Amino acid sequence: MNDRYARSKALFAEAQQLIPGGVNSPVRAFRGVGGTPIFFSRGEGAWLFDEDGHRYLDYVLSWGPLLLGHAHPAVVEAIAAQAARGTSFGAPTARETELAALVIQLMPGLEQVRFVNSGTEATMSALRLARAFTGREKILKFSGCYHGHADMLLVQAGSGVATLGLPDSPGVTKGAAANTLTAEYNDLEAVRQIFTAEGEQIAAVIVEPIAANMGFVLPEPGFLEGLQAIAHQYGALLILDEVMTGFRVSPGGAQGLWGLTPDLTCLGKVIGGGLPVGAYAGRREILQLVAPAGPMYQAGTLSGNPLAMAAGLATLRAAFDNGGAPFAAAEASARRLADGIRQLGEEAGVPLQVGQVGTMFGFYFLTQPGVRVTSYAEAKRWVDPSRYARFFWALCERGVYLAPSQFEAGFVSTAHTPEAIDQTLAAMREALRA
Ligand code: HOZ
């Protein structure tokens, strides 16, 4: 039998017996592209190696954290050295302050940082904090934005929820969802109307500065600034969810790039260098409400553990060393890739919408030329996931691994050389023809 993915299939069958759906996070099940998931055994630089012996240029990069690529020597060394000294003490370490200082240096709008273990914990805690600070209960989020899987945020969510086409999740109580208001991304007028009706009850607006869990949708000029102005007019906070964009779209995230001054910021992914980390951060006046400085409770056995702090420090230092040259090179590679994809679409007469900022990118296969996606409603209307699925598998055969869903963003690392990008584009040219 010449089944290219025979071992992955066997491993998946086994996993399905013991793990719901065979995976520990839904988009990994490949429902967005059909077929069964590829199981990977190893990563090195820009490359991923599967269990059947194929290699791929990787544009998922663990869904964003691996800004330096797989197994970067500085990160491996930092993790190994720390592991030899102990992985977790459940007590303060100097490394937490070191990473907090580096994060604040890169994102100067932040004054204090609290480390947690995942992006979900970061957004959940930031919202609790916003409620504690304002004494209000409602929050406003945007359809297709994904902020982790806390109950109150699983309302019209993106990422796996969008990929699987789920309405909202059973198990979320009406009470938890009742205080979550939603609007379409980029629809400032809808936000204005919601605030006019219920602004005095809204604690915070939470938003991805680039909507990267419904594909890759940029904010329209003035959208984020407008959100901040409306929120502040009504005494609500603006929470930027930079779990994906942080240290990826610029050294200072989206806020650094576009001069935004959110009240609270959620971080994750890159700050853990591939180990589980999240953080929420912002103005001292607000963060001082967090226990034990203040009364808002939030805790965690492994929060700020030295292993994750070491990996995060090594990653940020290596990426932004030499005046940020490694990051700038990765950004140039991402631009080369996005420009190349745009050109391939034109050559092949395939309507594509391509976006790229810093080291992140994304593209949609559109159902017709001349349309543009600026919201989740438009993504559902104008995007052809079946075409993406065919492209995805054709690329796998040619050694390129993209996200197994049209509704996720792509990532480039400092290990993606211009040659690797050109190799990717050559594979894409063939895949588009196929
Ligand atoms: N929520 C992640 C994508 N935006 C997916 C995480 C995973 O499946 O590993």
Side-chain angles (χ1 to χ4, degrees):
M1 188 178 84
N2 181 23
D3 186 343
R4 190 180 156 82
Y5 305 107
R7 181 152 168 76
S8 278
K9 283 183 184 165
L11 289 169
F12 186 51
E14 213 178 307
Q16 278 177 299
Q17 300 303 315
L18 304 175
I19 297 170
V23 291
N24 284 305
S25 193
V27 279
R28 300 180 196 176
F30 278 41
R31 300 267 172 98
V33 288
T36 52
I38 300 174
F39 277 53
F40 293 102
S41 56
R42 189 167 76 81
E44 189 184 326
W47 294 92
L48 256 186
F49 299 79
D50 77 11
E51 289 278 0
D52 287 278
H54 312 111
R55 66 174 198 162
Y56 307 80
L57 282 165
D58 181 17
Y59 292 94
V60 180
L61 294 169
S62 189
W63 303 96
L66 305 181
L67 180 55
L68 306 178
H70 294 272
H72 187 282
V75 179
V76 172
E77 199 184 307
I79 293 174
Q82 184 57 53
R85 297 157 63 101
T87 54
S88 183
F89 310 137
T93 62
R95 287 201 190 284
E96 291 153 79
T97 317
E98 244 178 279
L99 185 55
L102 185 50
V103 165
I104 290 170
Q105 184 192 323
L106 289 163
M107 283 189 176
L110 308 181
E111 291 176 343
Q112 289 207 312
V113 185
R114 168 58 68 88
F115 290 110
V116 290
N117 296 296
S118 67
T120 292
E121 271 188 70
T123 54
M124 188 176 87
S125 308
L127 284 163
R128 184 182 302 144
L129 180 54
R131 285 170 163 159
F133 184 75
T134 58
R136 301 172 177 184
E137 297 211 343
K138 297 199 172 176
I139 58 165
L140 173 63
K141 77 175 281 287
F142 295 90
S143 303
C145 280
Y146 180 74
H147 306 286
H149 61 87
D151 283 0
M152 65 195 155
L153 289 164
L154 280 184
V155 179
Q156 297 192 25
S159 189
V161 185
T163 301
L164 299 179
L166 297 176
D168 296 318
S169 175
V172 172
T173 61
K174 285 198 189 76
N179 283 321
T180 304
L181 310 170
T182 56
E184 283 295 336
Y185 197 73
N186 275 321
D187 188 348
L188 212 45
E189 192 40 46
V191 173
R192 235 175 242 118
Q193 283 172 18
I194 290 169
F195 267 91
T196 307
E198 336 189 37
E200 313 293 335
Q201 299 169 59
I202 299 176
V205 180
I206 183 163
V207 67
E208 289 179 77
I210 295 173
N213 283 285
M214 53 164 139
F216 194 76
V217 177
L218 291 176
E220 295 286 292
F223 174 62
L224 297 171
E225 295 77 359
L227 274 189
Q228 175 157 329
I230 298 170
H232 286 176
Q233 182 188 341
Y234 287 87
L237 303 186
L238 177 70
I239 304 177
L240 271 199
D241 180 347
E242 295 230 51
V243 169
M244 287 176 112
T245 52
F247 315 105
R248 273 239 164 242
V249 297
S250 89
Q255 54 196 278
L257 187 64
W258 293 321
L260 304 166
T261 52
D263 301 291
L264 290 172
T265 298
C266 300
L267 297 168
K269 301 206 190 251
V270 172
I271 52 162
L275 294 191
V277 179
Y280 57 105
R283 298 209 314 267
R284 182 184 312 274
E285 176 201 7
I286 306 175
L287 268 288
Q288 283 296 304
L289 281 187
V290 179
M296 189 217 85
Y297 200 73
Q298 179 273 308
T301 300
L302 290 168
S303 292
N305 72 80
L307 210 53
M309 299 294 103
L313 279 164
T315 298
L316 291 177
R317 283 180 181 145
F320 300 109
D321 258 6
N322 299 323
F327 180 87
E331 182 172 24
S333 287
R335 196 173 314 116
R336 188 181 185 96
L337 179 65
D339 290 346
I341 297 174
R342 222 172 266 122
Q343 202 181 324
L344 290 179
E346 280 163 24
E347 269 171 36
V350 174
L352 294 178
Q353 174 172 322
V354 186
Q356 172 262 328
V357 183
T359 63
M360 291 177 74
F361 70 97
F363 59 93
Y364 286 126
F365 282 93
L366 301 169
T367 51
Q368 62 183 77
V371 293
R372 197 162 75 91
V373 174
T374 65
S375 68
Y376 186 43
E378 288 170 349
K380 283 190 286 190
R381 182 157 180 214
W382 299 123
V383 169
D384 181 355
S386 63
R387 199 157 202 185
Y388 180 83
R390 293 201 300 279
F391 187 61
F392 170 86
W393 282 113
L395 279 178
C396 285
E397 278 173 35
R398 290 163 177 82
V400 174
Y401 183 62
L402 292 179
S405 166
Q406 171 81 105
F407 297 111
E408 297 285 352
F411 301 91
V412 172
S413 79
T414 56
H416 287 73
T417 57
E419 294 71 35
I421 300 297
D422 291 346
Q423 193 175 331
T424 304
L425 290 168
M428 287 182 162
R429 174 175 284 117
E430 276 185 33
L432 270 181
R433 279 203 202 113

